[in-house]
Amino acid sequence: MPDLFFAGLLLGLAAGVSPGPLLTLVFLESLRKGIGAGVRIALAPILTDAPIIAATLWLLGSIGRNSTLLGLISLIGGFYLLWLAWENLPGGEIPTTAGADLPSSLWKGVLVNLLSPHPYLFWATVGGPLMAKGFALHGWGVTAFLAGFYLFLVGSKIFLAVIVGRSRALLPLSFFRTAHRLLAILLVVFAIVLLRDSWRFLLSTT
């Protein structure tokens, strides 16, 4: 059980700090709306991963081999990221009320995570087999793995949201606008990657 807990910690930390759409959105929302918005984005995997994990345990690995499904998820996710980038590209003022419209921040994170193929691939190829091993050894092994994984996956993103959120008051407006546009451009890059992956997944089915 300790081995599964520490495996969860390491995998959670790696996933939490790896560059990607969700981490970019944590930075973007923390800059725009403050720490609370960034924290809500960071909590998105807790809401979205449960059905993904359930599906993985039901049909272990089948999602990871279903190129059509992954292609469609990537396609929708790519266009959603493009929409988010278009919404944020102009930059803008630092909001005077930190934490405004926080529920929308949470749902942005939920949609970004659901419309990315990476959680499906992770749980089908890495997380799912480790959980199956935990079930085989001891039921508590699964709990230990999930506890370690989400502790560092969500915790690392919350830590970064706090740092960015606290620094926003110290940023000059010109820096804020530049950082805002750069993060939006980064969302475009991730959107292009998802659309490319979608093309490859769908081509592999023909």
Side-chain angles (χ1 to χ4, degrees), residues 15-114:
V17 299
S18 295
L22 195 64
L23 185 61
T24 302
L25 202 58
V26 168
F27 288 143
L28 187 57
E29 292 290 285
S30 298
L31 278 174
R32 292 184 62 205
K33 303 175 184 177
I35 294 173
V39 168
R40 281 164 173 77
I41 297 290
L43 293 173
I46 295 178
L47 297 178
T48 58
D49 283 8
I52 297 173
I53 295 171
T56 299
L57 293 178
W58 182 41
L59 292 172
L60 184 61
S62 64
I63 294 176
R65 293 191 299 268
N66 192 327
S67 298
T68 301
L69 178 58
L70 290 174
L72 292 175
I73 291 170
S74 300
L75 182 65
I76 298 170
F79 281 114
Y80 180 65
L81 289 183
L82 285 176
W83 179 80
L84 285 179
W86 178 260
E87 182 184 52
N88 291 291
L89 195 57
E93 304 289 332
I94 299 177
T96 55
T97 304
D101 199 19
L102 291 182
S104 69
S105 297
L106 175 61
W107 290 113
K108 282 180 183 177
V110 167
L111 285 173
V112 165
N113 211 46
L114 277 176

